[in-house]
Structures are given as C-alpha cells and as structure tokens.
Amino acid sequence: MVPDVSTGSRTYGLLAYLYGPGRRDEHTDPHLVAAWMPELAPDPGRDRDATLKQLTDRLDLPVLALPKDRRPARHVWHCPVRTAPGDRHLTDAEWAEVARRIVHATGIAEEGDDKACRWIAVRHADDHIHIVATLKREDGRSPRRHQDGIRAQAECRRIEKEWGLQILNEGDRTAAQRPTSAERAKAERTGRAEPPRETLREHVRQALTGAADEDEFFRRLTEAGLRLDKRLAPSGDVLGYKVALPGDRNRDGEPIWFPGSRLAPDLSLPKIRQRLAAGPPEDEPTSTTGPAPRSGRPASARRDATHVAEQAVTVLTGDDDAAGAAQLVGIGELLDAVAQTAPASTRKELAEAARAFERATRSHTRAEHADHRALRSAARGIVRAGNALGKGEDGGATAMLLSTMVLVTIAAIHWHSARGHAQQAAAARQVAQHLRAAYRSAAATPMKEMREQGRRLPTPVRDRYAHTVDAALPGQASHILREPGWDALAATLAQAERAGHDPDALLQQAIESRELDTADSATDVLVWRLRRIGKLPATADLSRTRAHQRTPAPSRASKPQAAEPTVRNDTNSSRRSGPRR
C-alpha cells in the first residue's frame, strides 16, 4: 500500500480531475467513500444535485474564513493511497477505514478532534483512493503534520500486516523526490516521455560520472544542452547551482529551475564537492581536450573496469561500512558510464540499470572519508574511450564487464540486506535483472563463437581440459561440464595454453579470485575471468579452431610457445604465434 503526500493551491482543479474521466478514460464511478462529516460533504458522483463548486466551497470554508494575508499559498493536501499489484480489491468500507487512519496518523484530522481539517476520500478505481484536505483547521490554526509522508507510510505498513496485504519496504528519506502529479500531467500534455525532473536528474548524474573537478562537471552540463544557473557569492565563489530543460517554462514563460538538492539528496553542490574532494580520478589527467589515448579504447577501458569492479566485491563483503558505502557510489558512476557508451543492443537495459542503482547508492551509511577513486577512474576511462561497438573485442569486453557487474550487484544486495536497507536492496535486485538481460544480449555472439571453437577441439584435448576442471573443482565439475558454457570454457583454456599459460594454474587462479556460488553460470564467469587474467582476446580465435582440426594438440610436456601453425593463407598469419590482441 503506497501513500504519496503532496500539496497544491487549487481545490476545484483537483476535484475536477478526480471526478472527471481521467487522462485515458480510466476513472470509473467516482464517488466519496469517507469525509470529515459525511452529511456536510456533497458527492457529485452519486448526488445529481451536488456540484464540484459546492464540494469545493465546503472544503475551503476554514481557509476562506481567514484574512487573505493569513491564508496559506498551498492550502490543498493530497494523498493518493494505492494497493500493491496483486492485492485484493478493498471494499468502500475498507477504503473509508484506510482514509480515517491516514488522516489520523498524519495529523490532518486526529480521531476525536472536532476542530480538525476538513477532508474527503474519493474512489474512482478498484486499487486506490485520493484523500483531499484543506490545511486550515476549524479554529483557524494549521495542522501539526510534521513528517506526514513518513507517518502515512508507517500507517500503511500497519494496515498491510493487519489485513494480510503485501508488506512493502519502508522508506528512509534517502530517495530522490518523485515527480508530482502536476509534473506528470504536464509531461503527458506536452508529449514528453517523462517529467523534466527525471530527465534532469539523469543528465546531472551522467555529467558527474568520472568528472575530475567542479569545472568539468559544469561544462558537461552545458554540453548536454541544459540551462545552467550558478548562484555566486560576492567574491565570485559558486554557492550552488540549478538546471532547467530548454523549452520547459511556467505560465509566465520563465524557465522551470531545479536545484541539485531537489533532484536528489546527493546532487546538491556540497554533496558533489564531497565526492570530488579526493581529487581527480586515479592516473587520469585533469584535461579532457583532445582524443582519448590508444589505451583508452572501449575494449581496453572495459577490461580495466572489470578488474576494479572485482575489487569492489571484496570491499562489499567486508565489515567496513563506510568503505562499502563509498564503493556503491563508485559502482553507480561506473554503471552510468557503461550506459552512456553502450551499443544500441544493450543501451536500454543498461540505462534502466543505472537509474535503478541510483537508489542503491544512497543510505544513511556515511562514506565521506572512504576511497572510491579507482571506480571513478574506471568510469572516467570508459566515458573518454567513447561508444563501444556491439561486436568484436568491444562486444566481448562489454560482456566480460557485465558478467562481473552482475556479481557486484549481488554483493550490493547482500550488503544492503545485512544492514536493513530494504528500499536499496530492492533497487539492487531490479538492477540485477536489467544487467542479466544486458549480459545475455552482449554475450550472445562471443559466447556462441567460443562454444563453436570448443566443440571443434579434438576429443583428447577436451578430455584433458575436463580433467583440469575436475581437479580444480571436484565438487562442481560434473555440473560445469553439463552447462552450455562448457564448450566456451574448453576453448578458452585452449587459447590460454596457446598463449603460453599453464591451464591448470590459470584456472586455479580464476577460481580463487572470487567465489562462484552466486554466479548464474559458473562457466560464463570462469570464461571471462580467464580471459581477463590471462590477457586473452575477449573473442574466439576461429582460425585456431581450424588449425586444431588439422594439427594434433601439443603434449603437456611441450613448450607452450610452440603453438601449431594456422591454416590461413594470408601473409600476416605466419608472423604471429599467439592470438591477436
């Protein structure tokens, strides 16, 4: 059961919406289910003689009775209350009880108080009601509604437990402010896909991703096409900032500005400065002019980020809360960077993952003095390297990183769950779903090629690698050998051996680097670990597959550098004894 408290200034306009057809004719049978005094509240939905004007006047009477200078500018209190999907439909009598409990818990109209605010509850759908009140009591005083949103949520949790409804997660006041109903309505009316608040929050978050300093952050905002207004002290120092979307204006034709703190708690200028306080990300110049260096190409940047993400898992499984909270902030930046530069095939899922993980980065656990420069540096490297292709080394390296990011997200779920952060853990679970979908898309082609290569290996070679897996993972080997990714793992071990590695030692190193219990596919995880640790290409070497069909596998006693020749006819192939990097 979800309450959503907001305030407004037009009682009649809100009632016209509640009793109207809705934006898509979704409102059916609008009517009152409860009121401060039912005999004084006309119901335009059930009484043909009642009008919206009459109901508005009755609700507004305590406000209109005051001198104009004492009337609140926003005197309308609005609280929709909605049951969760899958819950049973409540009766009118049950919704009336919900409304009475909500207005009592929030201080709008406490039980037994005959001088309380006037209020009504309107139902026009099976799964929710709208509670409307005016914020002046009968005695002319204002209600005591401190933290009314939190108290409404707490009362909903009690109702859920008592009535056998789905028990939702409690909020902790660290979430970003949601768009108001007016903002959502305006977005629909103007044809925007989402309210400007949501668009601005994403742009600001992306501008901060891997930024070396405050100047770069502000420059990125303007480069993204946002209107930017800095609040300056007489000395010229920046005290704050606000942003607006071009074309988003109010009734007077002025831009609608949003300070960073209204977009999200961690996007205020003081919070941003705390994130930047440790200095530029590691090993990166502060200047971003000129092309990215050769080492910063998409595939290379993603490989570097994979290593850093694996280190973040180690921190999240430790006992240092501040360090864990800092890693979550850095992981959020890394996800933003990957989403910004993702190929079209995975961009939508990764954008959703980045948005959802934003909620998992904020809790009451402080991270001001913990270090997350490595993650910020990885994010910066990905942004500077530019957009990745969905194929070749870029595609394989993207799959490598996403495989690790799934494990990082699972570690984040456990970290939040262990500390009672229900909202953040739920957000991380959503992220894991999006990342799994993005991984499946990114890994489809490279894993298919590796499986093809593995199936073409000679039977003695496959058997030898099966023994290698059995010796390294005696309890899991039978399961791994039945997984679809076993062929890709065999191909990777063969490629590692041709590159000069000892397959047994390399596999043992990959296993010991991180547990496999939380992996959706142990073979997939091992494939990408082996390729990262062994510095192997992120894609299969299909020419070597054809060579294996013609040349016997090298014996274990032979030197690993003496790789078998390829069968390609081009002149360059004879110059290379190892896989192309």
Side-chain angles (χ1 to χ4, degrees):
M1 186 171 286
V2 182
D4 185 10
V5 174
S6 61
T7 59
S9 58
R10 297 179 64 243
T11 308
Y12 184 90
L14 177 56
L15 294 180
Y17 167 73
L18 298 182
Y19 277 94
R23 299 184 183 95
R24 300 182 181 87
D25 294 324
E26 71 275 19
H27 296 174
T28 59
D29 186 25
H31 61 280
L32 292 182
V33 295
W36 83 100
M37 193 175 292
E39 60 272 20
L40 293 182
D43 183 2
R46 293 291 171 84
D47 184 351
R48 292 183 178 180
D49 296 328
T51 65
L52 293 177
K53 178 67 165 55
Q54 290 173 339
L55 182 55
T56 300
D57 290 344
R58 296 285 176 87
L59 284 169
D60 284 349
L61 185 60
V63 176
L64 297 175
L66 297 173
K68 287 187 177 182
D69 60 349
R70 289 185 54 198
R71 297 174 188 173
R74 301 178 68 83
H75 71 279
V76 183
W77 187 87
H78 180 208
C79 180
V81 185
R82 186 182 302 271
T83 52
D87 275 339
R88 65 180 177 85
H89 292 161
L90 305 184
T91 65
D92 279 2
E94 287 174 320
W95 275 122
E97 177 65 14
V98 170
R100 285 189 286 267
R101 291 179 64 163
I102 294 293
V103 295
H104 170 78
T106 55
I108 293 296
E110 296 182 8
E111 187 176 355
D113 184 356
D114 59 358
K115 300 296 184 183
C117 297
R118 297 189 172 192
W119 62 273
I120 59 171
V122 178
R123 181 180 189 180
H124 56 207
D126 290 330
D127 63 348
H128 69 278
I129 59 171
H130 291 258
I131 306 174
V132 181
T134 44
L135 293 176
K136 280 299 177 180
R137 293 163 46 88
E138 300 284 358
D139 56 14
R141 295 187 293 118
S142 297
R144 297 178 180 178
R145 58 181 192 93
H146 178 61
Q147 295 187 334
D148 50 358
I150 292 178
R151 288 190 282 168
Q153 285 191 25
E155 188 62 28
C156 284
R157 300 296 84 78
R158 286 188 283 269
I159 293 172
E160 290 163 352
K161 292 177 183 177
E162 293 173 16
W163 295 9
L165 304 175
Q166 295 182 55
I167 299 176
L168 304 182
N169 296 321
E170 294 187 11
D172 61 2
R173 304 195 75 184
T174 61
Q177 184 177 341
R178 289 180 293 182
T180 65
S181 57
E183 290 173 2
R184 290 192 292 268
K186 182 180 177 182
E188 286 191 20
R189 193 169 60 250
T190 56
R192 294 185 184 274
E194 61 186 2
R197 181 193 299 273
E198 300 284 352
T199 305
L200 289 169
R201 180 161 57 241
E202 184 167 9
H203 279 306
V204 172
R205 204 177 66 236
Q206 291 177 349
L208 184 57
T209 298
D213 52 36
E214 197 173 307
D215 290 338
E216 183 179 352
F217 166 64
F218 286 135
R219 184 173 65 252
R220 287 183 179 183
L221 289 178
T222 57
E223 289 173 352
L226 305 186
R227 298 176 67 100
L228 173 66
D229 184 30
K230 302 176 187 178
R231 183 162 59 89
L232 302 177
S235 61
D237 294 333
V238 180
L239 301 178
Y241 76 99
K242 56 186 179 181
V243 289
L245 281 181
D248 185 28
R249 298 179 178 275
N250 58 22
R251 294 177 180 176
D252 299 325
E254 299 172 341
I256 299 178
W257 296 100
F258 288 85
S261 58
R262 283 183 57 200
L263 296 176
D266 56 346
L267 294 182
S268 67
L269 188 57
K271 292 290 186 181
I272 288 173
R273 283 172 171 164
Q274 287 178 4
R275 190 182 299 192
L276 299 173
E282 292 179 338
D283 303 322
E284 287 286 348
T286 57
S287 173
T288 59
T289 58
R294 184 178 180 84
S295 62
R297 288 178 175 173
S300 176
R302 279 158 171 72
R303 281 178 171 273
D304 294 342
T306 301
H307 174 64
V308 176
E310 286 183 342
Q311 294 176 325
V313 177
T314 302
V315 177
L316 288 171
T317 54
D319 297 326
D320 189 334
D321 283 5
Q327 294 300 296
L328 292 171
V329 173
I331 292 164
E333 286 202 34
L334 184 56
L335 265 176
D336 277 322
V338 176
Q340 289 181 57
T341 59
S345 59
T346 56
R347 188 173 301 148
K348 183 177 184 298
E349 291 289 354
L350 289 174
E352 292 295 335
R355 282 195 172 196
F357 199 82
E358 179 196 25
R359 183 68 186 93
T361 63
R362 289 192 300 271
S363 69
H364 290 300
T365 304
R366 295 186 176 275
E368 283 87 343
H369 304 295
D371 190 358
H372 53 31
R373 281 177 297 171
L375 282 162
R376 297 199 69 240
S377 178
R380 182 178 178 82
I382 286 175
V383 171
R384 294 192 68 206
N387 293 341
L389 299 175
K391 58 184 179 180
E393 276 298 296
D394 283 5
T398 297
M400 179 186 295
L401 175 57
L402 294 181
S403 174
T404 301
M405 292 303 294
V406 172
L407 298 181
V408 175
T409 306
I410 292 171
I413 295 170
H414 293 163
W415 191 89
H416 280 304
S417 297
R419 289 154 183 80
H421 303 162
Q423 294 278 1
Q424 292 85 344
R429 290 188 188 95
Q430 293 178 3
V431 175
Q433 293 177 1
H434 290 300
L435 287 177
R436 287 185 176 106
Y439 169 75
R440 288 192 294 268
S441 176
T445 297
M447 290 298 290
K448 179 182 177 181
E449 292 175 352
M450 283 186 269
R451 287 195 295 268
E452 177 186 341
Q453 184 184 46
R455 284 192 293 268
R456 292 179 178 176
L457 290 172
T459 300
V461 176
R462 288 171 57 87
D463 290 344
R464 179 156 54 85
Y465 293 142
H467 290 310
T468 297
V469 172
D470 188 42
L473 290 166
Q476 298 175 254
S478 59
H479 174 72
I480 287 176
L481 295 178
R482 290 194 302 270
E483 281 194 4
W486 155 239
D487 294 321
L489 179 57
T492 300
L493 289 170
Q495 203 165 350
E497 189 168 17
R498 288 194 300 271
H501 295 287
D502 179 349
D504 302 79
L506 191 65
L507 180 61
Q508 195 62 44
Q509 184 181 352
I511 292 168
E512 292 174 354
S513 67
R514 174 62 45 206
E515 52 81 25
L516 295 169
D517 296 338
T518 56
D520 295 332
S521 169
T523 50
D524 281 27
V525 171
L526 287 173
V527 163
W528 299 121
R529 283 185 191 170
L530 288 167
R531 289 182 175 274
R532 184 187 63 77
I533 296 171
K535 295 181 172 57
L536 303 175
T539 54
D541 185 351
L542 296 180
S543 65
R544 293 292 188 177
T545 303
R546 292 190 290 271
H548 254 310
Q549 292 177 314
R550 296 169 179 257
T551 308
S555 66
R556 299 299 298 274
S558 64
K559 294 182 180 181
Q561 289 82 359
E564 68 276 44
T566 66
V567 297
R568 294 190 304 180
N569 294 323
D570 60 276
T571 57
N572 292 332
S573 62
S574 62
R575 301 174 188 173
R576 303 183 64 90
S577 60
R580 182 169 56 87
R581 301 299 174 98

